[in-house]
Amino acid sequence: MMSEEVRLSTEELHKLGATFETRAEELSRQLAAFRRRADAEALRDGFGSDEAARPYRELYEQAEHALVQLQQRLAEVGGGIKETVAHAQAAEEELAEMIRSVK
């Protein structure tokens, strides 16, 4: 029977958490650029009137909301992974100290 265990070092997990956080930061920068290029005034100017721009402004608002949520989730996942690593390292250190005290 094959084991379905996955083993990762705390160092690998820390790197993974940092990667999620980096991607969240990159997305935040891209979102700022998106906002500058596609704000309501730019849409109105591009379509000639508020009425003509309304469907695109609504689409913009939906896209912006989705991107903000994605950025927040990436940051949360990254932070959660790094917190898990900190707890795992603390538990490993505690276990090592217990083993040393038994010897």
Side-chain angles (χ1 to χ4, degrees), residues 38-61:
D39 68 3
E41 186 176 316
L43 288 170
R44 185 185 63 241
D45 291 348
F47 288 96
S49 72
D50 281 334
E51 191 61 35
R54 180 172 290 124
Y56 299 97
R57 191 170 53 247
E58 290 170 1
L59 204 66
Y60 159 80
E61 290 168 359

Side-chain angles (χ1 to χ4, degrees), residues 11-29:
E11 181 180 327
E12 289 170 324
L13 283 175
H14 189 271
K15 286 180 185 177
L16 180 62
T19 298
F20 272 93
E21 290 178 334
T22 299
R23 295 300 182 247
E25 291 168 8
E26 290 171 359
L27 183 55
S28 183
R29 286 190 295 276

Side-chain angles (χ1 to χ4, degrees), residues 23-97:
R23 295 300 182 247
E25 291 168 8
E26 290 171 359
L27 183 55
S28 183
R29 286 190 295 276
Q30 291 297 322
L31 182 57
F34 175 70
R35 286 174 173 149
R36 284 191 302 273
R37 288 191 305 264
D39 68 3
E41 186 176 316
L43 288 170
R44 185 185 63 241
D45 291 348
F47 288 96
S49 72
D50 281 334
E51 191 61 35
R54 180 172 290 124
Y56 299 97
R57 191 170 53 247
E58 290 170 1
L59 204 66
Y60 159 80
E61 290 168 359
Q62 290 172 359
E64 179 187 34
H65 181 71
L67 289 171
V68 166
Q69 286 186 318
L70 177 58
Q71 185 273 331
Q72 291 170 343
R73 295 306 167 267
L74 288 171
E76 287 173 7
V77 168
I81 290 171
K82 289 172 84 175
E83 185 178 331
T84 299
V85 168
H87 290 299
Q89 287 174 329
E92 287 174 3
E93 290 169 11
E94 186 177 324
L95 181 59
E97 184 59 35

